[in-house]
Amino acid sequence: MVIVTTIRREVLTLPAAELGTDNPLPALRPLDEVHRIEDRDREDLPRDMARQLSYAPLRSLLPVRVRDGYGRTRVPRPVDALVIENDRLRATVLPGLGGRIASLVHLPTGRELLYRNPVFQPANFALNGAWYSGGVEWNIGATGHTTLSCAPLHAARVLAPDGGEMLRLWEWERLRDLPFQVDLWLPEGSDFLYVGVRVRNPHERPVPAYWWSNIAVPEDRRVLAPADEAWHFGYERRLRRVPVPSDDGIDRTHPIDSPYAADYFYEVPDGRRRWIAALDADGHGLVQTSTDVLRGRKLFVWGAGPGGRRWQEWLTEPGTGGYCEIQAGLARTQLEHVRLEAESEVSWLEAYGPLDAPSAGEWAEVVGAAEERLAAVLPRAAVEAAHAAWKPYADTEPGQTLATGSGWGALEVLRGGWKLPGTPFDEATLGDAQEPWRELLRSGSLPEPRRVRPPGETLVAPHWRDMLETAPATPLTEYHLGVAQWHAGDRAQAVRSWERALALAPSLWPLLRCLAVADQASGHHERAADRYTEAFDDLCHERRDDGELWTAATAALGRETLEALLRVRRAADARSVWERLLPAIRRRGRFRLLEAELLLAEGRSEAARAVFDDGFEVADLREGAETVGRLWARLSDAPLPDRYDFRMRPDAP
């Protein structure tokens, strides 16, 4: 048999914004996640759904850092890509940006089956900030977009079940401490891209697991799924059962007809084949199907309102067309987590390919016809057989390395001594970020830095916290120990650790900032403002240059300090902080917004209004955030200008 599938490297050139430097301040605040529901909605839910909604929701972003250093200046930049292709399909994968499938082209017709974003523009949608739209993304970790959205994954060639080659992607997901892999291959002559996914729990305890494959497609489609009901979730944080296709007189299976952004989690009956499709008016489009372990199916729409349209423009180039997302996950909804037992794994197979079937007509007839067509081109039994054929190859050791991810997996494997066939986390991938922790593992002592700089990342899992507890109590060790104790919920002990470190620490501002966050959490906002001010003074005295790391630290601490001072109406102190920010920081959109708030606090409402009139863009505006609109309402009775309208829900009555 002649194998025609190829895997090759390419370099794409895209108008792209820089990711910038990660925020060096540990993420001590509660998780800023919009996907939460009102308690009153839990009473009428199916029992298994209610249980999984309550199972181990993520409370903290630690040990991951916030990625907020990006901007909105796009220039042509090279982006590394891996292309897997046979004579029917061509899939383009971005290993350095979460392993996303950026494009899937059906070669005989030349049709792009996905929404392919023509730019790379990070926005604040991932759990840790930076995320970008388009293609197929792999969401692991917890409710929301993965922290790996804009991070590199390991990639290599691997032997495929049919004797050809697979593209393997793998990494260590740090929020839940789980290794995972994604294997992509194209059997000879296949119109479907096969994707084998495995998530492993090497620990001696159960772990909450989460997975959703998010597929961006053009929004001028009709979305089909084998369901007559769905769970609707909007940014009002209400979860309710609705009929499919029509609700409130609107056919919600046409994404552009929904007025506001919303999720529709389809209630696919038990025993029914799992699939979802998006077809254009001529009946052409994409279908995704899987083995039954991947239970959930979902439609996300931006809505036709001004906020939804603004977000669409924000994430790409105006005039390039909008998109919606069809999705598949381990649970009914993205608000749930499932239990992955100790020393176990979960795996499934997905298939992506073209589907030609009528999209117009009565719901039952259209769904039935699409299901029949899918059965003809890719029988359900064939997907099950492909999964069974792939499973023995999941342990096959990778061949040629095509891309390298982080060193965190190598550190965890070194500590745990785990054997993870198929996903090697080589010690060679350990880098500067992991080196202090490898030294702690080796010698029992965390090394002090050789030069003054913002502290590195903190590891917070129980085994690392235990090592910090027994390590010599240097100021840096006490700092990291306090962060780990804070993550574990031992707030009082965390404060004691940070206070002990203050007496001897050469660098005070990281500790003072942690104590300020603790003050805010306990309601002592005046004291928090004092500590923030002292911390910012210390940082300004200590910083050695205007390099990327110090600039990131100054911006992050300056922003928090300004917000803390404005909260307690200390405008004069806030002005003093503002004047010491680097000019390049003051020009950022986030700080222009803070400047308007500061001017208003000083009683200079006309100057504050002028900031809006001059125009600014808050690059890291959070999904669902309404801060811009609320400040505008304090300045003007006029309608919110379109350029600032990011509202994703109807106005409250």
Side-chain angles (χ1 to χ4, degrees):
M1 180 174 63
V2 177
I3 303 299
V4 296
T5 298
T6 61
I7 299 174
R8 66 180 185 275
R9 287 190 174 99
E10 281 192 0
V11 176
L12 308 179
T13 300
L14 297 176
E18 279 194 287
L19 271 173
T21 303
D22 288 354
N23 189 324
L25 306 183
L28 300 178
R29 288 191 171 89
L31 190 68
D32 181 15
E33 175 49 47
V34 299
H35 300 97
R36 300 189 302 272
I37 70 167
E38 301 282 353
D39 288 339
R40 57 183 167 171
D41 290 339
R42 297 175 185 265
E43 299 176 0
D44 300 324
L45 301 178
R47 186 173 301 177
D48 62 331
M49 182 190 291
R51 182 177 64 252
Q52 291 180 165
L53 280 167
S54 301
Y55 177 47
L58 193 69
R59 304 296 185 191
S60 169
L61 189 59
L62 290 167
V64 176
R65 281 188 162 175
V66 173
R67 310 201 76 169
D68 60 1
Y70 52 88
R72 289 190 55 79
T73 300
R74 295 194 289 265
V75 298
R77 304 180 198 274
V79 178
D80 290 335
L82 298 171
V83 177
I84 178 169
E85 182 174 5
N86 66 1
D87 59 340
R88 309 292 296 175
L89 286 175
R90 180 174 63 242
T92 303
V93 179
L94 307 182
L97 294 170
R100 188 174 303 205
I101 303 175
S103 169
L104 184 63
V105 176
H106 185 234
L107 297 175
T109 61
R111 294 190 189 115
E112 172 63 68
L113 300 180
L114 304 174
Y115 169 76
R116 180 171 186 168
N117 196 334
V119 307
F120 171 69
Q121 177 57 64
N124 194 358
F125 279 73
L127 287 164
N128 63 331
W131 171 89
Y132 63 106
S133 64
V136 182
E137 57 178 305
W138 318 112
N139 285 295
I140 181 174
T143 298
H145 292 282
T146 177
T147 61
L148 296 167
S149 291
C150 292
L153 304 190
H154 301 283
R157 299 177 190 269
V158 187
L159 183 66
D162 61 359
E165 286 187 321
M166 290 191 295
L167 172 59
R168 175 163 298 164
L169 308 166
W170 73 98
E171 223 344 325
W172 196 279
E173 199 288 310
R174 300 178 67 203
L175 294 179
R176 303 299 197 182
D177 252 353
L178 299 176
F180 71 97
Q181 71 189 78
V182 179
D183 288 354
L184 303 95
W185 78 101
L186 285 165
E188 182 183 1
S190 175
D191 274 320
F192 284 85
L193 174 68
Y194 287 165
V195 181
V197 183
R198 175 167 64 169
V199 181
R200 290 192 274 202
N201 176 15
H203 304 287
E204 296 178 349
R205 65 184 189 280
V207 174
Y210 173 93
W211 184 281
W212 281 81
S213 300
N214 289 13
I215 310 146
V217 293
E219 67 179 349
D220 59 346
R221 300 289 189 268
R222 190 180 194 190
V223 174
L224 309 179
D228 295 318
E229 291 183 312
W231 295 92
H232 170 274
F233 179 77
Y235 286 80
E236 308 90 338
R237 295 178 176 171
R238 301 298 309 275
L239 185 66
R240 60 187 179 90
R241 195 191 296 257
V242 298
V244 175
S246 295
D247 179 37
D248 291 336
I250 300 172
D251 186 338
R252 307 289 178 158
T253 64
H254 293 278
I256 58 176
D257 289 345
S258 290
Y260 293 99
D263 299 327
Y264 293 91
F265 299 102
Y266 293 111
E267 188 68 72
V268 180
D270 291 341
R272 192 83 177 261
R273 186 176 185 179
R274 308 285 159 170
W275 63 274
I276 190 167
L279 306 180
D280 63 20
D282 295 325
H284 307 307
L286 172 82
V287 65
Q288 186 270 3
T289 187
S290 72
T291 50
D292 289 352
V293 166
L294 206 62
R295 175 182 184 177
R297 292 297 184 276
K298 171 193 161 183
L299 166 64
F300 167 75
V301 299
W302 282 107
R309 306 331 294 169
R310 184 72 182 107
W311 274 117
Q312 295 264 33
E313 295 173 353
W314 187 255
L315 295 168
T316 185
E317 291 283 6
T320 56
Y323 77 96
C324 63
E325 288 180 355
I326 57 175
Q327 306 181 11
L330 282 175
R332 270 193 184 97
T333 74
Q334 287 175 327
L335 310 173
E336 304 168 66
H337 301 90
V338 301
R339 181 183 175 99
L340 187 56
E341 297 296 341
E343 299 178 332
S344 71
E345 64 180 49
V346 60
S347 73
W348 62 91
L349 185 120
E350 303 180 47
Y352 296 79
L355 186 70
D356 296 310
S359 61
E362 293 297 321
W363 179 249
E365 294 176 2
V366 170
V367 169
E371 202 159 35
E372 288 180 9
R373 180 59 182 162
L374 175 59
V377 296
L378 185 66
R380 187 177 188 179
V383 176
E384 299 286 349
H387 181 226
W390 165 73
K391 287 183 69 176
Y393 289 82
D395 284 345
T396 301
E397 290 304 315
Q400 180 192 10
T401 298
L402 299 172
T404 303
S406 78
W408 295 113
L411 183 68
E412 292 300 335
V413 168
L414 189 64
R415 183 206 63 81
W418 289 309
K419 304 297 181 185
L420 300 170
T423 54
F425 293 95
D426 297 329
E427 284 193 52
T429 63
L430 292 168
D432 292 343
Q434 294 82 38
E435 188 54 40
W437 300 95
R438 178 160 71 165
E439 180 61 24
L440 175 65
L441 186 62
R442 186 188 66 81
S443 69
S445 178
L446 197 67
E448 289 290 311
R450 296 179 181 178
R451 58 190 176 92
V452 175
R453 59 179 298 170
E457 298 183 55
T458 302
L459 297 183
V460 298
H463 42 266
W464 293 108
R465 190 173 72 246
D466 291 344
M467 280 186 263
L468 290 169
E469 291 274 9
T470 57
T474 65
L476 184 63
T477 300
E478 294 281 23
Y479 163 81
H480 285 299
L481 176 58
V483 175
Q485 290 166 331
W486 182 270
H487 175 265
D490 193 350
R491 302 291 177 85
Q493 190 58 56
V495 169
R496 284 192 286 271
S497 295
W498 293 325
E499 288 177 338
R500 282 196 302 269
L502 275 175
L504 298 174
S507 182
L508 301 181
W509 66 266
L511 296 160
L512 290 167
R513 183 265 176 177
C514 290
L515 290 167
V517 174
D519 286 335
Q520 287 181 326
S522 58
H524 296 104
H525 296 290
E526 284 285 355
R527 190 168 68 195
D530 289 339
R531 277 182 161 148
Y532 265 122
T533 302
E534 188 179 353
F536 190 74
D537 289 344
D538 187 66
L539 182 147
C540 290
H541 175 74
E542 180 179 282
R543 69 186 181 202
R544 296 295 186 262
D545 55 38
D546 296 341
E548 290 184 358
L549 187 58
W550 282 110
T551 298
T554 304
L557 185 59
R559 172 182 170 178
E560 291 186 13
T561 304
L562 285 169
E563 291 170 343
L565 289 167
L566 289 171
R567 178 167 187 167
V568 295
R569 304 178 188 278
R570 286 163 53 173
D573 291 336
R575 174 59 63 182
S576 176
V577 170
W578 175 265
E579 295 298 337
R580 282 177 291 163
L581 291 172
L582 301 170
I585 294 174
R586 291 201 298 261
R587 288 193 294 268
R588 295 180 186 178
R590 169 62 63 182
F591 287 86
R592 293 284 285 155
L593 179 63
L594 278 170
E595 181 185 19
E597 189 174 353
L598 172 57
L599 289 165
L600 183 60
E602 292 172 330
R604 301 163 63 189
S605 57
E606 290 186 6
R609 171 64 186 266
V611 173
F612 277 83
D613 294 341
D614 290 344
F616 60 87
E617 292 184 322
V618 182
D620 63 333
L621 189 68
R622 184 64 174 163
E623 172 191 9
E626 299 175 354
T627 52
V628 178
R630 285 198 295 266
L631 183 56
W632 172 264
R634 293 168 61 192
L635 292 170
S636 173
D637 294 329
L640 181 65
D642 289 346
R643 67 180 301 176
Y644 301 121
D645 190 351
F646 293 89
R647 291 171 292 185
M648 298 176 73
R649 61 175 179 168
D651 292 332

